[in-house]
Amino acid sequence: MTTDGTPPAAGQRGPLDGLVVADLSRVLAGPYASMMLADLGATVIKVESAAGDETRTWRPPEHDGTATYYLSINRNKRSVVLDFRDPDDVALVHELFRRSDIVLENYMPGKLAGFGLDYETARSINPKLVYLSISGFGSGEGASLPGYDLVVQAMSGLMSLTGERDGPAYRAGIAMFDVMTGLHGTVGVLAALHQRERTGEGQHVEVNLMSSALSGLVNHTAAYTAAGVVPMRMGNNHPSVYPYEPLPTADRDIIVAAANDRQFRALCEVLGIPEVADDPRFLTNGDRTVNRDALRPLLVEPMASWTADDLFDALSARGVPCGPINTVGEGIEFAERIGLEPRVTVGEGDEEVDLVRNPIRFSAAAPQYTLPPPTLGQHTDDIKSWLRT
């Protein structure tokens, strides 16, 4: 449904058409989750304070005076400004709860209870609500710890894995655990909606950055829990596979990820060194990993006669996973060349902005790109009028 009660046009229907989301979140993890739902057809109402979502001010870079950080995660939403300290506005939030299927929030655990906007209050208003809470360290003993991605990258162990062996720890280039937690939250919401089909009742879904981080560290956390091994950073090396790292060509580095014997043999044949694949030191992945210091110069020498793009084409034709190290712009341009259509234009006229397409494809539905990221309070009057009728 839409806020005026009319259905969207047939061409705009998505898999989640008809669901209403009250989005009380801000910054990244929550807005990313709600944008996923909005792209898939849900009506998302972004509830903001008069100060607005913090990411509105996170610039540079910017597009027509608006931070691109904010633009990247807030399309397909309607913005309403409400003051949680105002009883009349809280009553409107309660009415929004009554009309919604999903609530998203990422306040410090327990804070919304002081405004009467916590899960228990929401459930008493609408027992069918699926209420997603996102935090940094959960609602238990870690509830008072602020949830910032960089802090979680440090405390989860990710930074201990990132950087050169003898150098300092580095953060990832994006707020990866915010994004991951937003995706985990979306999965949890969709699972709870499916369960609601059977039970008729909603529930409280909780995700936190720390748990998402430990889950996302996959083989590294399993190394500790299952084998008692504490992984440490190895630069761009992989602890269990070789070659699986950047290697130099005539113009720039290229990633080569020959993770099995067939791929390694194909790599050697393309480089004109087929005899290396038969060297007893390099017959298996285990051999190659143990003897990587001896193998690397044998690969690097012939690669010096290739450009990264030419070697990418040659290796790809033989099924060897590889790819030049692109800039973000080159990454988007490559996606365009192979037909992934990564750009989507949202809005018209002065509101028009190019963003990155939702990555999910459907055979019988389609993500929608109908609303540009809203200005602060852009839909306040319309939404308040809708809630009061």
Side-chain angles (χ1 to χ4, degrees):
M1 65 174 288
T2 59
T3 55
D4 62 4
T6 60
Q12 299 172 352
R13 292 188 182 277
L16 302 183
D17 177 50
L19 294 177
V20 178
V21 180
D23 182 10
L24 278 58
S25 69
R26 69 266 189 235
V27 188
L28 180 49
Y32 189 87
S34 63
M35 186 178 73
M36 291 293 105
L37 300 173
D39 285 353
L40 302 184
T43 295
V44 174
I45 298 173
K46 183 177 179 68
V47 179
E48 300 185 72
S49 70
D53 190 318
E54 291 96 312
T55 60
R56 291 181 180 275
T57 66
W58 287 7
R59 58 171 72 91
E62 59 186 58
H63 169 80
D64 290 344
T66 301
T68 57
Y69 202 120
Y70 168 79
L71 294 176
S72 71
I73 47 177
N74 282 290
R75 66 176 172 237
N76 289 325
K77 304 177 188 180
R78 295 166 173 85
S79 171
V80 57
V81 171
L82 295 172
D83 185 349
F84 295 169
R85 297 165 299 181
D86 183 333
D88 291 337
D89 280 1
V90 170
L92 290 176
V93 179
H94 286 174
E95 181 60 28
L96 180 58
F97 287 173
R98 186 172 290 108
R99 302 186 187 202
S100 296
D101 299 277
I102 303 162
V103 172
L104 277 68
E105 64 89 8
N106 59 352
Y107 284 81
M108 190 78 75
K111 184 170 183 178
L112 286 181
F115 301 110
L117 300 175
D118 55 305
Y119 170 66
E120 292 302 329
T121 302
R123 184 177 184 277
S124 69
I125 294 169
N126 180 0
K128 292 186 176 182
L129 266 181
V130 172
Y131 188 109
L132 172 64
S133 293
I134 300 173
S135 64
F137 297 90
S139 56
E141 294 183 14
S144 63
L145 299 174
Y148 282 79
D149 184 275
L150 179 57
V151 174
V152 175
Q153 286 195 35
M155 297 187 70
S156 66
L158 174 69
M159 288 181 64
S160 76
L161 301 171
T162 309
E164 294 298 327
R165 185 188 303 269
D166 298 322
Y170 280 96
R171 71 176 182 89
I174 61 166
M176 60 180 299
F177 293 140
D178 268 322
V179 173
M180 189 179 295
T181 305
L183 290 174
H184 286 162
T186 304
V187 171
V189 162
L190 296 177
L193 287 172
H194 180 70
Q195 184 171 335
R196 189 178 74 174
E197 291 296 312
R198 300 195 309 270
T199 66
E201 295 185 353
Q203 60 184 294
H204 193 190
V205 178
E206 295 185 72
V207 293
N208 67 80
L209 272 66
M210 187 67 177
S211 294
S212 287
L214 296 177
S215 173
L217 289 174
V218 287
N219 56 302
H220 294 297
T221 41
Y224 180 72
T225 60
V229 173
V230 178
M232 297 302 293
R233 56 185 171 276
M234 300 177 63
N236 285 314
N237 291 317
H238 192 288
S240 309
V241 181
Y242 194 84
Y244 199 94
E245 66 177 9
L247 294 169
T249 68
D251 57 351
R252 56 178 170 154
D253 285 358
I254 185 172
I255 294 293
V256 176
N260 61 45
D261 298 341
R262 179 192 61 77
Q263 293 169 350
F264 178 68
R265 182 169 294 277
L267 168 66
C268 293
E269 291 172 354
V270 168
L271 294 179
I273 51 172
E275 69 280 1
V276 172
D278 294 319
D279 189 311
R281 296 173 296 172
F282 313 132
L283 288 177
T284 69
N285 174 69
D287 296 330
R288 294 188 289 275
T289 300
V290 170
N291 296 303
R292 68 176 73 207
D293 290 342
L295 176 55
R296 191 176 194 278
L298 300 179
L299 301 176
V300 168
E301 182 177 1
M303 290 177 70
S305 64
W306 292 81
T307 66
D309 288 341
D310 287 345
L311 186 56
F312 168 70
D313 290 339
L315 291 178
S316 295
R318 294 293 305 275
V320 179
C322 62
I325 300 177
N326 290 330
T327 64
V328 172
E330 289 168 337
I332 291 174
E333 291 164 3
F334 173 73
E336 290 174 332
R337 288 200 300 274
I338 62 174
L340 293 181
E341 301 177 320
R343 299 176 192 253
V344 62
T345 299
V346 186
E348 299 177 349
D350 293 340
E351 293 185 331
E352 182 177 293
V353 59
D354 282 355
L355 297 170
V356 171
R357 182 180 300 276
N358 188 296
I360 305 172
R361 303 262 179 163
F362 298 89
S363 63
Q368 64 180 28
Y369 309 100
T370 55
L371 297 175
T375 58
L376 178 60
Q378 181 176 350
H379 307 94
T380 295
D381 291 343
D382 290 342
I383 291 171
K384 282 187 172 183
S385 176
W386 172 63
L387 292 173
R388 286 168 175 153
T389 58

